[in-house]
Amino acid sequence: MKLKLAIRTEIKVVVAIFGLLALIAFTDKKREGIVCKDIAVRLENEHENHFVDEADIVYRIEKSGQQIRGASFDEINLRLIENKLRQEKHVRRADLYTDLKGNLIATVELRRPIARLVSESGPGAYVSEEGIVMPVSERYTSRVVLVSGAYVRTLLAKGDLSKFDEGKALLEMINFINDDRFWRAQVAQIDLDEQGRARIYPQVTSQVVEFGPMQNIEEKFNKLMVFYKDILPQKGWTRYSRVN
């Protein structure tokens, strides 16, 4: 009895597989010769960062080096277009597919900026949560913590903070700030000297915080919290100009 049930189950699985393969083959057959009539963009922008919009994506698709509208889908290299879209620094993920109505559909996910690099010699850049250095935009500014100082030149040149120790340390520090409601509201700017030592400029109080090397980050912020909670209320908010 068990053997018969097992055989029947295997037959059903085989039939289902053949049915799926037949459906795929039928769908592929229907796609043959379909001409691209339009480009549709589905922008996944959870954090509402408008560095790139739908029109930018359409423009990049049309400038991919291939004829798109009016061309048969059989002649369009979707993988090539996906790779070109993924080269855009603000794009985290890009997937292209087609439908039977002649639409080329692009689903694009944008990166989230967590800090802005302020450069004395150029336009600066943004840093994504993965550590990717992204160009600024003339039409959109994201309200994030500022990173300035001589070490910004190194960050801009590296291009990916996750690839070297000092960059990883800065990412850890920024993420610690952003993950805490108090520090997110209090820290306005991080200034880095040529050795990557940090100085913090707060939003509310006037004290410049000599943070030093980006090490033992949580421990240092805990000590700074003691200063804000216990020392300043007793000594006065304007008594100190610098905190080490």
Side-chain angles (χ1 to χ4, degrees):
M1 184 66 178
K2 291 183 179 180
L3 180 60
K4 289 182 179 180
L5 289 175
I7 293 174
R8 288 176 183 174
T9 301
E10 290 181 2
I11 291 174
K12 289 180 179 179
V13 170
V14 171
V15 170
I17 292 174
F18 275 109
L20 179 60
L21 292 174
L23 178 61
I24 293 173
F26 176 73
T27 303
D28 288 342
K29 188 69 176 177
K30 289 187 68 176
R31 290 182 190 274
E32 289 182 5
I34 294 179
V35 171
C36 178
K37 299 177 182 177
D38 200 5
I39 301 172
V41 177
R42 296 175 180 174
L43 207 58
E44 297 181 7
N45 189 11
E46 178 183 354
H47 303 284
E48 296 297 319
N49 300 307
H50 303 285
F51 296 106
V52 177
D53 60 19
E54 288 85 351
D56 294 321
I57 300 301
V58 171
Y59 176 82
R60 284 166 173 77
I61 292 174
E62 291 179 332
K63 298 298 181 181
S64 63
Q66 306 178 70
Q67 180 183 346
I68 306 299
R69 286 188 172 90
S72 170
F73 284 137
D74 299 333
E75 301 170 351
I76 300 175
N77 189 335
L78 299 183
R79 183 64 58 84
L80 177 64
I81 300 174
E82 286 178 344
N83 291 335
K84 286 184 177 294
L85 290 177
R86 290 165 186 165
Q87 290 173 9
E88 161 64 51
K89 295 296 185 180
H90 294 292
V91 173
R92 171 186 284 170
R93 181 178 58 83
D95 297 303
L96 268 66
Y97 58 96
T98 63
D99 64 18
L100 298 179
K101 297 180 180 179
N103 295 309
L104 174 59
I105 302 169
T107 301
V108 177
E109 181 183 358
L110 299 184
R111 298 186 190 278
R112 175 194 175 198
I114 59 172
R116 179 166 182 171
L117 305 180
V118 181
S119 174
E120 296 179 356
S121 58
Y126 285 96
V127 177
S128 76
E129 57 189 339
E130 303 89 359
I132 301 298
V133 175
M134 309 181 296
V136 296
S137 170
E138 294 181 356
R139 64 176 179 234
Y140 180 74
T141 301
S142 181
R143 298 184 64 181
V144 291
V145 64
L146 301 179
V147 179
S148 60
Y151 199 72
V152 167
R153 293 193 299 268
T154 300
L155 301 176
L156 290 170
K158 293 286 187 179
D160 186 348
L161 275 60
S162 68
K163 300 298 184 182
F164 61 108
D165 291 340
E166 292 82 0
K168 291 177 182 177
L170 178 58
L171 282 177
E172 181 184 352
M173 184 173 177
I174 294 170
N175 284 323
F176 182 88
I177 292 169
N178 288 340
D179 289 341
D180 186 279
R181 185 176 180 181
F182 176 82
W183 295 122
R184 188 169 62 249
Q186 176 68 348
V187 176
Q189 185 169 344
I190 303 170
D191 194 80
L192 302 176
D193 65 14
E194 293 183 352
Q195 283 73 44
R197 292 172 298 199
R199 181 183 293 122
I200 294 176
Y201 291 88
Q203 284 274 18
V204 180
T205 58
S206 58
Q207 296 82 16
V208 177
V209 180
E210 300 289 350
F211 195 86
M214 291 179 287
Q215 302 168 354
N216 305 317
I217 291 170
E218 185 173 357
E219 179 183 348
K220 289 183 178 181
F221 274 107
N222 287 340
K223 290 181 179 179
L224 186 58
M225 182 64 79
V226 172
F227 172 77
Y228 284 137
K229 281 187 173 182
D230 299 337
I231 298 176
L232 280 184
Q234 295 181 21
K235 300 293 185 179
W237 292 89
T238 60
R239 177 162 183 176
Y240 300 97
S241 60
R242 306 183 80 81
V243 181
N244 192 319

